[in-house]
Amino acid sequence: MADKSSSGNLASSLTDLMTSLMVIFVLLLVATLNNASAEGENTRNRILEDLKNDLKIFSSQGVQVQQDPADPLALIVLVPSGLLDFTVNGTAVPQKGIAFLNRFSPLLAGVACGKYRKEIASIVVEGHTDSTGTDEHNLPLSQQRSLAVVQQTLGALGTEDKACFLDFLSATGRGSREPILDANTGSEDKDRSRRVIFKIRVRSFEQREFHSLFGM
């Protein structure tokens, strides 16, 4: 009986020890993940701030760069009003827009394909329409506008920058989901709603770690 009691006590002690070690391991893992997450967030914020500062070279052309309120990893590049505002149902880039993209695109490529090449995840050209018409009409229309700007952007680049930019660049249409409202009346400004914007998204902590491990 004594042997059985001793064996039982030993098994119970081992179980308690294993449970304690498991708890310690879990706590250490949680602490490590929290530290990595905090470090990743600090790195992300620093990269976004540095990128925003470097994009100030566009301010002389009236371009504004701001944080995307819907995405902590993204910056929105706002083109001056009137340059990429499309005609009703139109998909052709306005002449002023073509002249602007010919100046703007090489500068943007220089920033994206330079020191931020490993930090940027994507550059999305986002097309929009005004609220006139149905979603079935507006979604493909906005997509065609974004594709027209992508083609014009790539056409303004040299061979090397174009090859790099193709790794980042994509086009998407948002239809009439995000109209521009008049600041005074609160009603839609339809001319300004027919537009295209650029969104620059940096890599997340997980993407940077994956890229560091696998070189992708």
Side-chain angles (χ1 to χ4, degrees):
M1 295 293 292
D3 290 342
K4 289 183 178 180
S5 176
S6 298
S7 298
N9 290 336
L10 179 60
S12 177
S13 297
L14 287 173
T15 300
D16 290 342
L17 177 61
M18 293 299 294
T19 301
S20 298
L21 290 174
M22 181 63 70
V23 170
I24 292 172
F25 173 77
V26 170
L27 290 175
L28 288 173
L29 179 61
V30 170
T32 301
L33 290 175
N34 285 338
N35 289 337
S37 178
E39 182 182 349
E41 183 176 351
N42 290 335
T43 301
R44 176 200 72 196
N45 291 337
R46 175 182 55 78
I47 292 170
L48 284 171
E49 193 60 35
D50 289 347
L51 180 58
K52 189 186 297 184
N53 287 332
D54 283 351
L55 291 175
K56 285 182 179 178
I57 59 173
F58 304 136
S59 60
S60 61
Q61 301 179 43
V63 174
Q64 297 179 29
V65 180
Q66 62 188 42
Q67 179 72 50
D68 184 352
D71 185 351
L73 292 172
L75 297 175
I76 299 176
V77 180
L78 299 175
V79 175
S81 179
L83 294 182
L84 291 179
D85 297 352
F86 289 78
T87 59
V88 176
N89 292 325
T91 60
V93 180
Q95 283 301 124
K96 290 182 178 180
I98 293 175
F100 167 78
L101 290 172
N102 286 341
R103 300 190 306 271
F104 171 79
S105 301
L107 293 175
L108 181 59
V111 172
C113 296
K115 66 179 181 179
Y116 296 103
R117 186 166 188 166
K118 294 182 179 180
E119 303 296 347
I120 291 177
S122 63
I123 299 176
V124 180
V125 179
E126 195 175 88
H128 297 264
T129 70
D130 63 34
S131 61
T132 305
T134 64
D135 286 343
E136 289 76 10
H137 174 75
N138 288 332
L139 281 172
L141 177 61
S142 62
Q143 180 75 30
Q144 291 168 20
R145 287 171 176 169
S146 64
L147 285 171
V149 171
V150 164
Q151 291 171 353
Q152 189 62 46
T153 297
L154 293 174
L157 301 178
T159 303
E160 185 174 346
D161 283 343
K162 185 182 295 185
C164 166
F165 230 44
L166 284 171
D167 291 336
F168 302 126
L169 205 59
S170 64
T172 186
R174 298 287 294 169
S176 58
R177 297 174 188 174
E178 300 172 22
I180 298 292
L181 303 180
D182 186 278
N184 296 319
T185 65
S187 59
E188 181 185 6
D189 185 328
K190 292 191 175 184
D191 289 339
R192 293 175 60 208
S193 291
R194 298 189 295 269
R195 71 201 188 280
V196 166
I197 63 173
F198 291 78
K199 283 190 177 181
I200 303 175
R201 196 172 195 273
V202 301
R203 295 180 190 270
S204 65
F205 171 74
E206 292 79 12
Q207 287 173 320
R208 286 201 307 275
E209 289 296 298
F210 184 84
H211 179 81
S212 176
L213 289 172
F214 299 100
M216 298 176 64

